[in-house]
Amino acid sequence: MAEHTHHTNTEQAILEAAEREFLAKGFEGARTTTIARAAGVTHAMLHYYFRTKEKIFERILDEKMRLIGESVLTAFGQPGLPLPERLRQGIENHFDLLAAQADLPRFVVTEVFSHPERCEVMRQRIRRILDRLLVDLQRELDEAAARGEADPVDALTLLLDIISLNVFPILAYPLLAPLVGDPEGGRDRFFAMRKAENVAAIRKRILKIPER
């Protein structure tokens, strides 16, 4: 049991060090010697656990692609809630997930979009989520429009609006940081303001009923 725990802890330490290295330097720039040193293991031990740099990266990539799928799912909000609350919850939770994984948008651009085979895997994952949920969300949006509570809107367009509004401030924050004031709490305040603004923008675009 102790040996299994040690094996698990060592593997986890390598993965955590590898994630930091890959996110900071990308696949090409990452070095297994640096990962081993940061994980507190020998270079030989790292290769014992994962054999190649590609094998380590595949584990990191798989986790990041899982988060991308979860991000898309989160942006829909919770089915069964009233539409105004569902929109608010979906936008806020999606923003919070991205803010907690601030390197995720940049990782997607540099390590997924630039490789057709990785992009295809991500597209298939997201397609499975969209096929399951877009129809139901579109029905809910259409029913709200028929009741006069919302403007007609395409569910996929709505999803793209939410993702676009939420991703940009997080992706661009390193460039925007000098504009948002002091660094102490500046990031959190800026993100809170952007999240509230995004909720207001989407609700105003869609809903005809006043916010309560």
Side-chain angles (χ1 to χ4, degrees):
M1 182 66 177
E3 184 178 342
H4 174 74
T5 301
H6 176 73
H7 177 90
T8 301
N9 291 343
T10 302
E11 183 177 285
Q12 188 59 34
I14 293 170
L15 288 173
E16 288 173 2
E19 180 171 333
R20 291 191 297 269
E21 178 78 355
F22 284 127
L23 288 177
K25 301 177 182 177
F27 177 79
E28 295 300 331
R31 296 290 176 264
T32 54
T33 50
T34 305
I35 294 170
R37 186 164 56 248
V41 301
T42 65
H43 199 227
M45 189 178 293
L46 180 144
H47 283 286
Y48 167 77
Y49 278 90
F50 287 101
R51 299 208 310 278
T52 66
K53 175 179 165 180
E54 287 77 9
K55 292 294 182 184
I56 309 174
F57 184 75
E58 284 174 10
R59 285 285 295 273
I60 305 300
L61 180 65
D62 189 64
E63 169 63 13
K64 294 306 174 186
M65 293 180 79
R66 183 190 66 79
L67 282 170
I68 294 164
E70 184 180 325
S71 164
V72 173
L73 183 60
T74 301
F76 279 100
Q78 185 65 40
L81 290 175
L83 183 60
E85 177 62 16
R86 182 175 183 179
L87 287 173
R88 182 196 63 77
Q89 182 199 77
I91 296 163
E92 289 185 349
N93 289 354
H94 180 256
F95 192 102
D96 288 345
L97 186 149
L98 293 178
Q101 294 279 332
D103 288 318
L104 186 60
R106 181 168 51 82
F107 181 84
V108 171
V109 170
T110 58
E111 298 294 342
V112 178
F113 287 173
S114 57
H115 294 78
E117 70 283 1
R118 296 176 192 165
C119 199
E120 179 58 29
V121 172
M122 188 177 77
R123 189 181 298 116
Q124 290 173 6
R125 287 189 176 202
I126 292 176
R127 172 54 60 190
R128 286 197 293 270
I129 294 171
L130 293 182
D131 287 346
R132 203 165 64 239
L133 294 178
L134 272 181
V135 172
D136 288 340
L137 180 60
Q138 188 66 63
R139 184 183 303 114
E140 185 173 343
L141 291 167
D142 291 345
E143 290 172 354
R147 293 192 300 268
E149 297 174 358
D151 285 325
V153 64
D154 175 68
L156 182 57
T157 297
L158 171 60
L159 178 66
L160 293 175
D161 287 344
I162 292 171
I163 291 173
S164 300
L165 285 170
N166 282 348
V167 165
F168 179 76
I170 294 162
L171 183 64
Y173 183 75
L175 296 176
L176 300 175
L179 307 177
V180 301
D182 65 295
E184 290 297 324
R187 179 184 187 273
D188 291 343
R189 280 199 301 272
F190 175 71
F191 281 1
M193 289 170 56
R194 290 313 313 169
K195 181 166 62 173
E197 179 67 22
N198 293 351
V199 170
I202 292 291
R203 288 172 62 109
K204 189 177 294 185
R205 158 69 179 86
I206 294 174
L207 300 178
K208 292 183 176 180
I209 55 179
E211 184 171 355
R212 290 191 286 267

